[in-house]
Amino acid sequence: MRRGIAALGALALVGTLAACGGEADQSGDAASGAAGDQSGAAGVGTLTIWADDTRYGEMQEFAKDFTAETQIELSVVQKSESDMDQEFITQVPTGKGPDLIVMAHDKLGALVTNGVVGTVDLSDVQDEFSDSAVQAVAYDGQTYGVPYAIESVALVRNNALTTDTPTTFDDMISSGEATGVKYPFIIQMGDEGDPYHFYPFQTSFGAPVFEQSADGSYTTDLALGGENGTAFAEWLKAQGDAGILDPAITSDVAKQAFLDGEAPYTVTGPWNVTAFREAGMDVSVLPVPKAGDQDAQPFVGVQVFFPSAKTENQLLVNKFLEYVETAAAQQQLYEIGGRVPAMTSVAEGIDDEDIKGFATVAGAGVPMPAIPEMGSVWQFWGVTEANIVTGKEAPEEGWSTMVENIKGAISK
């Protein structure tokens, strides 16, 4: 980004703001009244950031160090995760929105479409972040926001049952069968399917949900159909016939079976590893083995700081974004929140082997599509997978019908 601003000290920033006509005094009520007195520490100013319930405490802690380092006050306002993005879209055009918002990247398309999020130049630092993190903040040829954490599913192995590291699905099943336990491998599905957990296997057949541009941003061209999509559908049916995949396996069933030592392998995320550890299990986090002839790439959720397109404190916003681009800030955010850092050097330096394992897998994954058209995919995708596994729909016909239904929903 703009390294010149990042290099300025707090006093120099004050001088810059004064030379620009005192922009730090302009925010006033521009952030739902939360910005308050713009004098701030050392008179630099105040930024307001919205954070949802899960990030509010983390951002409060982070704000202390940010202010101590930059002399810029950071007012953290708690919002509901369920509608924070919609409130942001509504409030920003009125001048009552915040200067920044921290959230997952998957609503970026709606933010851009409504003109409420500002662009960010990551050209100087993008090589320091994982590819999936950089792709997540790219939309229609522009970059928005600074990523700070990534999250995806991975293969988790029970080391008490096996120490094999399979690279293909078939090898994993053979390894699992050799343990003699109930399930050679277990993955949640449910009656309505679970495309999120199954996506790494789908991508290994070369059937991603949408095409991606050179910068990683998604186009609206569906890519999950054709021969590759049919091949994945046929694989689903074969695994259902073999009893490997089963809609009766819900998230709770899969988690408990792995806890009980009934499966040597499962595909899950970091949210379940804490429970495995608390149960005294010795686990390892590994890449998801490929079922097709390509690498398995899971969906990646990316946590991002997005600037408001209407902020009246652009210089302070720039200062904040440059601060969170640093390794020190990324390390600090990890220590506060425990999420896998988006900056690769920070992720590689973590002592926790499980976190490092998830970092490796997520770094090689693909971001969840943030385009509005993604909303038309979910209603058909999982149900079709479940129906193919149980034999309610034939693989080729069922998958082809699903693709046409998605196209129809997108065109409405």
Side-chain angles (χ1 to χ4, degrees):
M1 267 180 78
R2 299 151 295 276
R3 290 300 180 187
I5 295 178
L8 293 175
L11 293 178
L13 184 59
V14 173
T16 301
L17 291 170
C20 292
E23 284 187 78
D25 293 328
Q26 295 178 6
S27 62
D29 297 329
S32 301
D37 182 2
Q38 292 300 298
S39 60
V44 174
T46 300
L47 288 172
T48 298
I49 185 169
W50 283 3
D52 64 27
D53 319 80
T54 61
R55 298 173 184 81
Y56 176 65
E58 298 172 12
M59 286 302 104
Q60 283 187 308
E61 187 67 24
F62 182 70
K64 297 175 185 177
D65 294 313
F66 170 72
T67 298
E69 180 72 21
T70 66
Q71 302 304 302
I72 303 170
E73 293 287 346
L74 185 64
S75 176
V76 185
V77 178
Q78 185 174 8
K79 295 291 182 178
S80 171
E81 181 179 8
S82 62
D83 60 4
M84 182 175 70
D85 59 312
Q86 288 303 312
E87 186 175 356
F88 186 71
I89 289 171
T90 300
Q91 293 298 321
V92 166
T94 71
K96 296 181 180 180
D99 299 292
L100 298 141
I101 190 170
V102 56
M103 60 185 290
H105 81 281
D106 61 329
K107 302 295 179 63
L108 176 58
L111 302 184
V112 174
T113 301
N114 285 278
V116 297
V117 62
T119 58
V120 175
D121 181 7
L122 286 179
S123 58
D124 288 349
V125 296
Q126 67 179 24
D127 290 344
E128 299 177 26
F129 292 91
S130 69
D131 289 343
S132 57
V134 174
Q135 291 173 11
V137 295
Y139 189 90
D140 198 22
Q142 297 288 336
T143 301
Y144 302 83
V146 176
Y148 78 91
I150 56 178
E151 183 177 80
S152 77
V153 299
L155 183 70
V156 179
R157 181 186 69 198
N158 183 341
N159 295 328
L161 297 177
T162 182
T163 57
D164 292 344
T165 304
T167 58
T168 70
F169 185 87
D170 290 344
D171 286 346
M172 179 182 66
I173 298 303
S174 295
S175 171
E177 290 174 341
T179 66
V181 296
K182 184 175 181 179
Y183 303 101
F185 161 72
I186 196 162
I187 184 172
Q188 68 182 65
M189 189 172 197
D191 292 338
E192 296 184 354
D194 195 325
Y196 177 80
H197 281 78
F198 278 65
Y199 196 63
F201 299 122
Q202 181 174 324
T203 55
S204 75
F205 283 92
V209 60
F210 287 104
E211 297 284 0
Q212 287 180 274
S213 301
D215 65 354
S217 58
Y218 283 94
T219 73
T220 59
D221 296 326
L222 285 173
L224 74 175
E227 294 181 358
N228 293 343
T230 299
F232 172 64
E234 291 174 343
W235 176 84
L236 286 172
K237 180 62 165 59
Q239 302 312 312
D241 291 346
I244 303 297
L245 303 181
D246 186 350
I249 304 297
T250 63
S251 60
D252 290 340
V253 170
K255 178 181 178 179
Q256 194 60 50
F258 193 76
L259 280 167
D260 292 342
E262 295 181 332
Y265 302 102
T266 188
V267 167
T268 191
W271 48 86
N272 277 335
V273 172
T274 298
F276 302 155
R277 286 177 166 180
E278 290 175 349
M281 298 180 69
D282 176 20
V283 300
S284 292
V285 179
L286 310 169
V288 178
K290 59 185 180 182
D293 59 4
Q294 300 184 28
D295 290 338
Q297 293 183 295
F299 273 141
V300 179
V302 181
Q303 306 302 317
V304 185
F305 292 103
F306 290 115
S308 167
K310 305 296 183 181
T311 178
E312 295 182 356
N313 296 300
Q314 190 63 58
L315 289 175
L316 297 183
V317 168
N318 291 349
K319 183 72 174 178
F320 177 86
L321 295 176
E322 287 162 358
Y323 180 83
V324 296
E325 286 178 357
T326 65
Q330 295 270 322
Q331 177 69 32
Q332 183 183 19
L333 287 162
Y334 163 68
E335 292 174 355
I336 293 172
R339 299 174 186 266
V340 175
M343 186 171 284
T344 53
S345 63
V346 178
E348 290 168 356
I350 293 173
D351 293 332
D352 188 311
E353 290 301 317
D354 292 340
I355 295 295
K356 289 177 70 172
F358 278 112
T360 298
V361 176
V366 288
M368 179 88 71
I371 56 178
E373 288 78 7
M374 188 65 188
S376 299
V377 178
W378 296 111
Q379 60 181 314
F380 304 106
W381 197 4
V383 172
T384 300
E385 289 183 348
N387 286 346
I388 290 173
V389 166
T390 60
K392 291 181 180 179
E393 295 186 59
E396 183 173 3
E397 181 181 354
W399 199 258
S400 177
T401 299
M402 177 200 72
V403 173
E404 291 306 312
N405 286 336
I406 293 171
K407 288 180 180 178
I410 290 175
S411 66
K412 290 183 179 179

